[in-house]
Amino acid sequence: MRKRHRLVAAALLSAAQVCAPPAQAQAPAAAPRAKTSRIREERPARRARAEAPAECLTAAREFIAYLFREDRDIADDKEAQGRWLSQHLRNGLANRREVYRKHKEETPETAEGPPDNGDFIGSWDYPTSYVVVGSRRYDRRALVDIVFKWGPGTNYAGDERLVSYVFVHEGGRWKLDDIYTFGGEFTAGAHSLSEIFWRKVYP
């Protein structure tokens, strides 16, 4: 009888081993964080050129002038998008418009409007003047630094905001790839236009 019980137990154990799910491979343990009190500075393979190409400064000035036109809206103007915006930023703008469409469907009473020229200014109230304060180039990328100013009679009188227009060389031309706005007196903080355009929620 004992022998029979042992045979039955052995058979059950064998069946359990066959039916049992395969053991999952253990993830390799993470390497310990490197602890050091120093970091090595390396020499750049290519040094930044002193200034961005003249094409970038011209594009920045023309783009700003376009944004102030009341008869043009870059959100609908495919020609202007192709002229000034990189593929990445155009796709981001398309994403922003689609996210707004869904937001409007879900919240019809929303006070938020769709993306437009104002998104590229980064302010509800437009500035009254600007000055190009510097530029630089890093291989296929270039930056144009601009200070926008709000004068008397605006909602942000006296405010000044430093903005960096980030260009990328694409398709043989310099295209606007992002606008980075540093914090001002009337802003919640710095922000990247590209990051805003690629968000999944509105606003």
Side-chain angles (χ1 to χ4, degrees):
M1 182 65 72
R2 291 181 180 176
K3 183 177 181 181
R4 183 179 176 184
H5 285 169
R6 285 198 297 271
L7 290 173
V8 172
L12 291 173
L13 178 61
S14 177
Q17 291 173 340
V18 170
C19 298
Q24 294 186 352
Q26 257 190 340
R33 179 183 296 176
K35 294 181 179 179
T36 178
S37 58
R38 290 170 40 179
I39 184 170
R40 183 180 70 257
E41 179 182 0
E42 297 184 355
R43 292 182 178 274
R46 296 181 182 180
R47 291 198 172 274
R49 301 184 184 183
E51 295 182 350
E55 182 185 342
C56 295
L57 280 79
T58 298
R61 292 185 172 103
E62 291 178 348
F63 185 64
I64 292 171
Y66 173 91
L67 295 177
F68 276 74
R69 292 183 59 175
E70 295 184 358
D71 61 336
R72 292 288 187 272
D73 185 351
I74 197 166
D76 299 314
D77 191 341
K78 297 296 184 182
E79 182 181 351
Q81 291 180 26
R83 178 181 178 183
W84 284 303
L85 308 185
S86 70
Q87 185 66 57
H88 177 73
L89 198 57
R90 294 199 301 272
N91 291 345
L93 177 56
N95 176 75
R96 185 68 169 166
R97 296 188 70 185
E98 176 61 16
V99 171
Y100 173 76
R101 184 189 66 78
K102 293 179 180 178
H103 171 73
K104 184 68 174 178
E105 285 182 354
E106 296 169 359
T107 318
E109 70 280 4
T110 181
E112 297 291 341
D116 58 14
N117 290 355
D119 290 70
F120 291 82
I121 295 293
S123 170
W124 178 78
D125 200 2
Y126 282 22
T128 52
S129 65
Y130 73 91
V131 57
V132 177
V133 294
S135 71
R136 52 208 181 278
R137 176 179 177 177
Y138 302 95
D139 195 18
R140 290 182 59 253
R141 291 192 176 275
L143 286 82
V144 176
D145 298 322
I146 301 167
V147 172
F148 286 98
K149 302 179 180 181
W150 281 259
T154 65
N155 287 282
Y156 315 123
D159 196 16
E160 297 186 2
R161 298 177 197 173
L162 174 62
V163 174
S164 290
Y165 276 31
V166 183
F167 289 88
V168 63
H169 199 253
E170 180 180 282
R173 295 185 61 184
W174 288 95
K175 301 289 189 72
L176 188 62
D177 196 46
D178 198 2
I179 298 177
Y180 189 87
T181 302
F182 293 82
E185 182 181 350
F186 298 94
T187 61
H191 65 265
S192 154
L193 181 65
S194 176
E195 186 275 329
I196 291 174
F197 277 2
W198 283 101
R199 289 176 184 172
K200 300 300 183 184
V201 296
Y202 208 90

